[in-house]
Amino acid sequence: MVWATLARHLLMRPPAAQAAEPAMAAAMAARLQQAGQHRLGRSLAIRHVAAGSCNGCELELRAIQNMIYDLTQYGLSFTASPRHADILLITGVAARNMAEAVRQAREAMPDPVLVIAIGDCAVDGGVFKGSPAITGGAESILPVDLLISGCPPAPAQIIEGLLALVEAHGVESLAKD
Amino acid sequence: MTPVKCSESEWRNLSGEFVALWTSAGQAYALFDKGLFSTAVLDGGYPALSPRYPGADWFERLARDLNGHTAHGLSPARTAIEHFRAPDGSAPWPEFSVPPGEEVHQIAVGPIHAGIIEPGHFRFSVHGERVLSLQARLGYSHKGTLALMRGKSPRLAARFAARISGDATVAHGIAFARAAEAALELPVPPRAAYLRAVMAEIERIANHAGDIGAIAGDAGFAFLDARMARHRENFCNAAYAAFGHRLMMDNVIPGGVAGDIKTAGADEILRALDALETELPALTRIFEDYASLQDRLVGTGIIPHALAEQYAAGGFVGRASGRANDARKSPGYAPYDALEVAVPIETDGDVAARIRIRLAELIESNRLIRQSLAQMPEGQIAAAPPSGSGMGLGVAESFRGPVWHWLTLEAGMITDIFIADASTLHWPLLEHAAATGIVADFPLVNKSINASYSGVDL
């Protein structure tokens, strides 16, 4: 069994190398180099909270971690604990049943915290606007630093948005120095 | 369609396979494999079915929380969606029952979970590493979707149907459209039926690939995760090229589909299918050959056949436990009647069996897409829904099982609607399956069933 497997692996050709869109990757990495590192060191940790989504945005958030988009190459990664997080990333409407949990997640994070709302629902409630079961978008629970619209936004849009925020805050802190 | 009206005693003695239950202004409805039954709601109450059909429990709690209707005989302990209603936002936690025994303690998880997933609260009662019981408390992502759909035309309400569960947006779109089409007796152009099938099978492949990889990743096998995520990405890109949206949201509309397939998109789909077909045998061998991976998956989270039958488990959950059900075959709908769907079956009922079913379905869906593209009829892609009245029931086989949509229309407007995702019957099975193993196996068991939160929170 072991030999058969070993032999097969020796005979198998490796899958063709897959590259991310090189232009996009290079442009984003360059921007990050300029702006983010000054203020934020080399990495930012993201705590994601689904506050009432349909799970569409979660699919695309998982996609930005695959080998094509590879979020970690920009120094951004997801973390399980809010105590380790710099960014609170909210998807979905502000469901009344989740408001308390979102507030507690924010309180558990060390300042400074950047809050990002991803997807039309988190921006303003999206198609669910006006439902009595929700209070609106993420901003109805917390002040939000960045809105990324789309239903759901494509992975490249999400990464663009995240880097734009890092950039803006990097420039801000440069100006203060 | 008209449901079979039942007296209170006939209702109590309904037999067959329980599928769903909901209430409307004056009626309670029960969907069985044999058909749709109704009984009067008197003084805000109706007889509970949950004592005989445990799967009815969640539906009865939903009916209570959404419509204020009491199921007489339902144990009142758990709510479906009525959480955190204290004005100060404080959380009145319910009592979670603890199994008897010394040194039993509880692990509370959620509503915010560790990964990138939807919210829900899990309460484990454990003895050492062994899970004695799991109670899931859901309803956190309740958005009031059903209420928003009332008073809208089917075309307008389709946007909400597409957002019941984002990973099954096409399947829910189809089930909703079919319910509206049934109520209005509106025939769908054959080309539209084929385009729906192409989208539904792309959705199935994308989800199966992503989940198989994620389970392997959770067992510490990053290579399978990376390769499967790559294939998922291929299909999302192909869906974008063919239908203009990576998840194909809002492409299914009552009467047909919103847009035709783009020529370049069809080629992109075929390329994604070729890439998957080429690599799948090697990936399957890796899944089967590596003892350390199999050790985590074989015998883990077993759902016995009898339990699957009791809850009428659908999709890969039912098929891994010896149930042959597939809505594409029975009751069946166009164009699958012309495509001869092969349904794989396993009997082990564990995590490994659920993965094997999904691996087999990757191959079958691959074939179905190729066949649909090859024999796609020419013609219109949508018919305009007339402004009629009636009641309609529609089903579609999502990647995780059948999704049912029921609605009533008056003068072209939805007066009432209910949506039953396959997850509603799978959540109790997860509770059972989790209690067969240790805490560390829970992520594998959970992912292998992958019940939707949004799909049951509504």
Side-chain angles (χ1 to χ4, degrees):
Chain A
M1 187 67 183
V2 176
W3 290 112
T5 306
L6 201 63
R8 212 161 44 220
H9 287 183
L10 285 172
L11 292 172
M12 240 164 42
R13 269 177 303 144
Q18 313 267 7
E21 265 183 70
M24 183 192 91
M28 288 183 179
R31 278 167 57 182
L32 187 72
Q33 195 79 33
Q34 281 176 3
Q37 286 186 358
H38 176 80
R39 172 180 160 120
L40 303 156
R42 283 194 303 205
S43 66
L44 279 181
I46 305 167
R47 172 64 244 197
H48 161 248
V49 175
S53 70
C54 73
N55 77 34
C57 288
E58 283 71 40
L59 292 174
E60 297 299 44
L61 284 180
R62 252 174 271 157
I64 64 175
Q65 297 177 88
N66 69 24
M67 64 162 92
I68 306 298
Y69 300 105
D70 187 19
L71 184 70
T72 48
Q73 70 181 302
Y74 308 113
L76 297 162
S77 63
F78 286 94
T79 177
S81 170
R83 302 251 184 245
H84 301 158
D86 310 291
I87 294 174
L88 180 61
L89 191 162
I90 298 174
T91 55
V93 299
R96 286 185 190 276
N97 284 346
M98 276 303 287
E100 183 60 20
V102 172
R103 272 187 221 107
Q104 286 186 20
R106 168 63 186 86
E107 276 162 28
M109 291 172 67
D111 287 318
V113 169
L114 297 173
V115 181
I116 305 178
I118 285 196
D120 287 349
C121 288
V123 168
D124 64 355
V127 297
F128 301 100
K129 220 178 293 172
S131 167
I134 71 170
T135 53
E139 232 153 356
S140 65
I141 310 178
L142 293 172
V144 174
D145 297 291
L146 177 73
L147 302 166
I148 301 176
S149 58
C151 189
Q157 279 172 278
I158 298 175
I159 294 180
E160 279 264 11
L162 289 170
L163 291 185
L165 184 72
V166 171
E167 213 170 56
H169 279 257
V171 171
E172 207 172 87
S173 71
L174 276 171
K176 275 184 205 147
D177 290 347
Chain B
M1 72 168 305
T2 31
V4 180
K5 285 206 187 312
C6 300
S7 69
E8 206 181 300
S9 67
E10 286 167 339
W11 173 270
R12 281 184 199 281
N13 291 313
L14 284 173
S15 63
E17 199 159 81
F18 172 84
V19 179
L21 178 151
W22 63 92
T23 65
S24 146
Q27 295 286 314
Y29 296 90
L31 181 63
F32 280 76
D33 55 345
K34 291 184 207 159
L36 182 63
F37 301 89
S38 74
T39 194
V41 174
L42 298 170
D43 299 328
Y46 62 99
L49 291 181
S50 49
R52 284 188 65 198
Y53 300 99
D57 183 86
W58 181 266
F59 290 101
E60 289 170 359
R61 287 189 274 143
L62 256 185
R64 184 186 54 200
D65 287 358
L66 289 175
N67 300 339
H69 293 144
T70 314
H72 297 303
L74 167 72
S75 74
R78 296 158 81 185
T79 58
I81 50 176
E82 282 284 312
H83 307 336
F84 301 110
R85 284 305 166 89
D88 61 352
S90 65
W93 282 97
E95 286 289 315
F96 289 97
S97 62
V98 186
E102 272 183 50
E103 295 173 346
V104 174
H105 72 279
Q106 293 199 336
I107 303 175
V109 182
I112 300 176
H113 294 166
I116 300 177
I117 42 172
E118 303 172 78
H121 181 83
F122 296 145
R123 188 63 62 97
F124 297 90
S125 294
V126 300
H127 186 260
E129 278 295 305
R130 202 154 57 86
V131 178
L132 300 177
S133 80
L134 163 66
Q135 291 159 80
R137 189 179 190 234
L138 306 173
Y140 288 93
S141 61
H142 174 60
K143 300 177 274 295
T145 313
L146 298 179
L148 290 171
M149 293 172 89
R150 292 190 199 108
K152 293 193 169 69
S153 71
R155 281 270 170 100
L156 263 179
R159 285 182 65 75
F160 297 93
R163 285 158 185 80
I164 293 293
S165 187
D167 50 12
T169 175
V170 174
H172 274 284
I174 294 172
F176 173 76
R178 282 169 40 78
E181 287 149 11
L184 297 169
E185 292 172 10
L186 173 68
V188 175
R191 186 175 177 83
Y194 272 88
L195 287 170
R196 285 177 181 182
V198 170
M199 290 191 273
E201 298 310 317
I202 291 175
E203 179 174 270
R204 196 180 319 279
I205 291 182
N207 282 305
H208 281 355
D211 284 355
I212 293 168
I215 294 169
D218 266 6
F221 217 89
F223 176 72
L224 273 183
D225 194 7
R227 294 310 306 168
M228 284 298 191
R230 166 77 218 198
H231 285 293
R232 184 193 154 79
E233 188 61 29
N234 284 347
F235 282 94
C236 289
N237 284 335
Y240 183 78
F243 300 105
H245 191 288
R246 284 166 52 89
L247 306 178
M248 298 164 286
M249 224 167 228
D250 300 323
N251 275 36
V252 179
I253 54 172
V257 294
D260 211 329
I261 187 168
K262 297 179 185 74
T263 318
D267 298 338
E268 189 91 3
I269 293 171
L270 290 173
R271 269 197 296 278
L273 291 172
D274 286 342
L276 180 65
E277 206 166 68
T278 310
E279 202 181 4
L280 195 58
L283 295 178
T284 305
R285 271 204 306 276
I286 290 171
F287 163 74
E288 285 168 351
D289 280 5
Y290 279 78
S292 62
L293 186 57
Q294 288 286 305
D295 180 55
R296 295 293 311 277
L297 309 177
V298 175
T300 306
I302 293 177
I303 298 171
H305 177 70
L307 199 62
E309 290 276 309
Q310 199 181 4
Y311 283 92
F316 52 84
V317 176
R319 297 198 267 278
S321 296
R323 281 171 55 82
N325 305 51
D326 190 319
R328 291 173 295 176
K329 286 189 85 103
S330 171
Y333 51 97
Y336 294 104
D337 37 7
L339 296 174
E340 288 177 36
V341 185
V343 180
I345 294 187
E346 295 266 348
T347 51
D348 292 349
D350 57 2
V351 174
R354 288 190 279 278
I355 294 182
R356 287 198 299 273
I357 292 284
R358 299 179 86 170
L359 285 165
E361 289 187 8
L362 286 179
I363 297 169
E364 179 62 7
S365 293
N366 193 319
R367 188 188 71 75
L368 288 171
I369 295 173
R370 288 178 193 278
Q371 198 180 337
S372 301
L373 288 174
Q375 64 191 56
M376 177 94 53
E378 293 296 324
Q380 283 195 312
I381 56 161
S387 165
S389 303
M391 182 186 287
L393 187 64
V395 66
E397 183 77 11
S398 78
F399 78 99
R400 57 164 71 87
V403 298
W404 291 88
H405 286 230
W406 167 89
L407 53 77
T408 54
L409 292 171
E410 256 169 51
M413 294 294 162
I414 295 172
T415 47
D416 211 348
I417 178 156
F418 188 76
I419 296 165
D421 188 89
S423 308
T424 323
L425 293 166
H426 291 174
W427 276 109
L429 290 172
L430 173 66
E431 292 180 328
H432 284 280
T436 63
I438 60 172
V439 178
D441 282 339
F442 179 71
L444 300 174
V445 178
N446 188 18
K447 279 213 177 71
S448 79
I449 293 172
N450 187 8
S452 169
Y453 298 74
S454 181
V456 299
D457 293 348
L458 298 172

